[in-house]
Amino acid sequence: MNKVTVVIPCYNNFETIVRTYQSILNQTFKDYCVIIVNDGSDAKTTELVNSFKEDKLRVINQENKGVVTARNNGIEQASSQFVLTLDGDDSFEPTFLEEAVVFLENNIKYGVISCNYNVINQDGLMYVSQLEDNPSLNDLLIKNRLPANALFRRLCWEEVNGYDKDFDEGFEDWDFWINIASKGWKIKILNNPLLNVFVKKNSRNKVAMKNQIELRRLVFNKYENLYKNINSEFSDELFKEIETLKKTIRKRDSSLDMRLGKLIFNPLRKIKSFFK
């Protein structure tokens, strides 16, 4: 039995799944197996995934049911002590598993470990996301403090009955981390950016942000009793988010005004220069 099972949900990730899968094959830690859950992908993605032939790999082909069901189905098949979740368009640096497994083995109170991460678009590195070292339950109640890609004890998944299907539209990872922390488990963030998160045009995160009021309400209702204990902290963070939102809107409006100005005045300048 392998020590780690890597669960990779895949939905139409034809252009990225090889990079994602290769990042696991490149790990310095080798006591793992991989389960790719092909969640009703198109024909070319399905053909590509089914062409992978490594001994450590198992492919589960299912009808499209969303990432929550895909992750749960993959983890259900895992018999390992640890589970690593990795989205089908992201990747880990080679030493992540080695560092993460050693930490969890030597720190029995910790249930989840992830790391700072690089945010990358088509032009290359955008920035490094720096996270709190050891986010507490209260920290997580205020906002999500770690990415969806992380290593955790399978026992944690069992204790919270897996990912909650109520969060099919997004925030399923935030809910999952809160639920685990509420059972008394600690969470660790490695300082080095050992994860690469690639910006997508139509990612689930963008969809979730459009529906974030409804999704946040789901989180608040589910953990209503826990939120009663952090009113002041939550209020402070909420005001910070409102101020950040105001700055974003002002920046957007300023940029929009500039674009409109160019759109209006550039043709006028051309006409003016024509008559000189």
Side-chain angles (χ1 to χ4, degrees), residues 4-8 18-34 56 84-86 90-102 113 115 149-151 190 193-196:
V4 175
T5 301
V6 184
V7 176
I8 305 176
V18 172
R19 177 184 65 203
T20 297
Y21 181 42
Q22 190 62 49
S23 80
I24 299 303
L25 297 180
N26 292 342
Q27 292 295 304
T28 55
F29 178 88
K30 297 300 183 182
D31 190 8
Y32 67 82
C33 62
V34 181
K56 293 188 174 191
L84 176 69
T85 52
L86 178 58
D90 297 329
S91 66
F92 277 108
E93 294 298 314
T95 61
F96 175 77
L97 266 181
E98 183 176 0
E99 294 184 37
V101 170
V102 168
I113 181 168
C115 58
N149 304 316
L151 182 74
L190 296 174
L194 300 175
L195 169 65
N196 301 305

Side-chain angles (χ1 to χ4, degrees), residues 228-241:
K228 291 178 181 178
N229 299 322
I230 61 163
N231 284 337
S232 60
E233 294 177 65
F234 181 71
S235 298
D236 290 343
E237 188 64 31
L238 182 60
F239 286 129
K240 289 179 183 178
E241 288 197 16

Side-chain angles (χ1 to χ4, degrees), residues 63-109:
E63 295 179 2
N64 180 239
K65 296 181 179 179
V67 70
V68 172
T69 298
R71 284 197 191 124
N72 282 336
N73 284 352
I75 298 169
E76 184 72 41
Q77 302 302 315
S79 56
S80 57
Q81 181 182 0
F82 303 115
V83 174
L84 176 69
T85 52
L86 178 58
D87 289 343
D89 41 20
D90 297 329
S91 66
F92 277 108
E93 294 298 314
T95 61
F96 175 77
L97 266 181
E98 183 176 0
E99 294 184 37
V101 170
V102 168
F103 182 87
L104 288 186
E105 286 184 327
N106 292 318
N107 295 273
I108 60 174
K109 293 183 178 180

